[in-house]
């Protein structure tokens, strides 16, 4: 069976502490990739230096510079130059599980023509309460029908899109701040008469850094969901999504204290860790940084 070629796009902004962990997680899968494109999006730390070294070491990896700030701009810069049959995306703070690339290629080799994109499950490598997290995923991804489970939105940190589908939806994507780019892609794929589905085995370990955000910052982040629907003129869907926003905010509050008290290095909780200063996660969809 001929497998489709796979490009991997990784948007990166100030990821000196994480980007090499991601690349290391796919080192034993390099033969599966047509190319790995890392988009350096105005990083001011050592991200550029690390990427330059990795580019010199790995023939399959190339670095693209994108000066316009924001994950939408970085994503577009990478996807627009990708030449694989399938374009995958992983966040710079993620880690691919073994077999990730092969799973993506094999899935799309036999997937129905109306499946334009896929997304996978994830755990969080730096957060506590992973059994609780898995429970919510199991509930959300329960499939009682035949065939792949169609998902309401792709997971931006772990997704793959047919390049033909990307070309089809590219002119219709929103190019504005304050939206969820992965939801926007999903809506455009649906408008094009195609599906976004869950791909079994397309698994990663993601960072849960967003859970450390302040209550006000997280509130602003999740409100990008109804804002995305509103920007597309989907007013009824925007109103319905506000219930999901409330649920996400409640979950954030429940996880916030244990997450801040948890030390992912030692795997223990402590009062010192709880009271220590935690870096504020940059909102990825703002007009400027």
């Amino acid at each position: 069976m001929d497998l489709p070629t796979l490009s991997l796009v990784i948007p990166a902004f100030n990821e000196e502490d994480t980007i090499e962990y991601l690349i290391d997680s796919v080192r034993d899968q390099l033969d599966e990739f047509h190319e790995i494109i890392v988009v350096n999006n105005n990083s001011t730390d050592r991200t550029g230096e690390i990427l330059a070294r990795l580019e010199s070491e790995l023939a399959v990896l190339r670095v693209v510079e994108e000066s316009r700030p924001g994950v939408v701009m970085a994503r577009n810069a990478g996807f627009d130059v990708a030449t694989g049959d399938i374009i995958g995306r992983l966040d710079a703070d993620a880690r691919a599980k073994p077999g990730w690339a092969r799973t993506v290629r094999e899935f799309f080799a036999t997937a129905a023509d109306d499946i334009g994109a896929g997304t996978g499950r994830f755990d969080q490598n730096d957060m506590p309460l992973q059994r609780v997290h898995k429970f919510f995923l199991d509930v959300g991804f329960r499939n009682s029908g035949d065939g792949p489970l169609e998902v309401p939105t792709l997971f931006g940190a772990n997704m793959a899109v047919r390049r033909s589908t990307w070309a089809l939806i590219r002119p219709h994507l929103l190019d504005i701040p304050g939206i969820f780019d992965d939801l926007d892609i999903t809506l455009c794929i649906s408008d094009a008469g195609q599906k976004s589905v869950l791909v079994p085995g397309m698994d990663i370990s993601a960072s849960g850094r967003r859970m450390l955000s302040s209550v006000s910052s997280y509130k602003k982040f999740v409100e990008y969901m109804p804002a995305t629907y509103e920007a597309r003129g989907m007013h009824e869907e925007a109103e319905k999504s506000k219930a999901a926003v409330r649920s996400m905010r409640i979950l954030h509050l429940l996880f916030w204290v244990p997450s801040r008290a948890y030390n992912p290095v030692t795997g223990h909780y402590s009062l010192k860790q709880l009271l220590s200063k935690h870096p504020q996660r940059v909102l990825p969809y703002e007009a400027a940084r």
Side-chain angles (χ1 to χ4, degrees):
M1 178 176 61
D2 291 331
L3 299 181
T5 56
L6 174 62
S7 297
L8 173 61
V9 173
I10 306 168
F13 169 68
N14 285 355
E15 296 288 0
E16 64 178 5
D17 295 329
T18 63
I19 186 63
E20 200 152 8
Y21 284 111
L22 171 54
I23 300 303
D24 285 346
S25 75
V26 297
R27 279 185 184 270
D28 63 352
Q29 306 180 46
L30 293 182
D31 290 345
E32 300 285 353
F33 292 104
H34 174 65
E35 61 191 345
I36 297 175
I37 302 168
V38 185
V39 183
N40 186 19
N41 191 208
N42 285 325
S43 295
T44 57
D45 61 359
R46 293 179 55 250
T47 297
E49 175 187 336
I50 294 170
L51 290 177
R53 173 172 55 78
L54 291 172
E55 189 175 28
S56 68
E57 294 174 358
L58 304 174
V60 73
L61 188 147
R62 64 178 170 130
V63 178
V64 171
E65 300 288 338
E66 175 52 66
S67 60
R68 295 171 299 171
V71 71
V72 171
M73 300 302 183
R75 176 206 67 195
N76 290 351
F79 275 48
D80 286 346
V81 299
T83 56
D85 300 319
I86 308 299
I87 308 173
R89 173 186 156 190
L90 294 174
D91 275 359
D93 57 6
R95 301 174 192 179
K97 296 291 182 73
W100 183 90
R102 187 73 177 186
T103 296
V104 173
R105 297 181 69 198
E106 289 182 346
F107 176 82
F108 281 99
T110 59
D113 291 340
D114 64 347
I115 294 178
T119 197
R121 294 171 64 100
F122 64 98
D123 58 31
Q124 295 175 316
N125 58 65
D126 52 4
M127 288 288 114
L129 306 176
Q130 284 306 294
R131 290 183 180 179
V132 178
H133 171 79
K134 182 179 182 299
F135 169 79
F136 284 115
L137 279 185
D138 288 343
V139 171
F141 288 149
R142 183 176 294 133
N143 187 4
S144 57
D146 296 327
L149 174 67
E150 192 167 355
V151 295
T153 182
L154 296 162
F155 175 43
N158 181 23
M159 60 180 284
V161 181
R162 294 186 194 269
R163 183 157 58 94
S164 58
T165 299
W166 174 254
L168 188 65
I169 68 172
R170 179 67 172 89
H172 307 290
L173 291 167
L174 295 173
D175 190 10
I176 58 175
I179 62 160
F180 277 151
D181 73 302
D182 43 12
L183 174 58
D184 185 40
I185 288 179
T186 312
L187 295 174
C188 283
I189 289 173
S190 179
D191 286 346
Q194 298 185 7
K195 300 176 182 177
S196 299
V197 302
L198 181 70
V199 179
M202 183 182 166
D203 299 339
I204 69 164
S205 186
S207 172
R209 295 182 294 176
R210 181 67 59 195
M211 298 305 294
L212 300 177
S213 300
S214 68
V215 173
S216 60
S217 177
Y218 190 79
K219 177 178 182 292
K220 185 175 182 180
F221 173 69
V222 295
E223 286 177 348
Y224 291 160
M225 181 186 293
T228 306
Y229 286 115
E230 287 288 358
R232 290 212 155 272
M234 303 172 68
H235 307 300
E236 183 177 347
E237 289 81 357
E239 191 62 31
K240 290 179 180 178
S241 72
K242 291 179 181 178
V245 168
R246 289 191 291 271
S247 297
M248 292 166 70
R249 291 187 63 196
I250 291 171
L251 287 174
H252 175 252
L253 289 173
L254 293 175
F255 278 85
W256 193 64
V257 171
S259 295
R260 293 178 69 88
Y262 180 74
N263 185 325
V265 176
T266 65
H268 297 115
Y269 300 88
S270 73
L271 182 61
K272 179 180 179 181
Q273 183 75 13
L274 173 64
L275 299 178
S276 65
K277 185 176 181 179
H278 293 76
Q280 186 78 327
R281 188 78 167 107
V282 174
L283 289 171
Y285 309 111
E286 294 303 285
R289 294 187 177 109

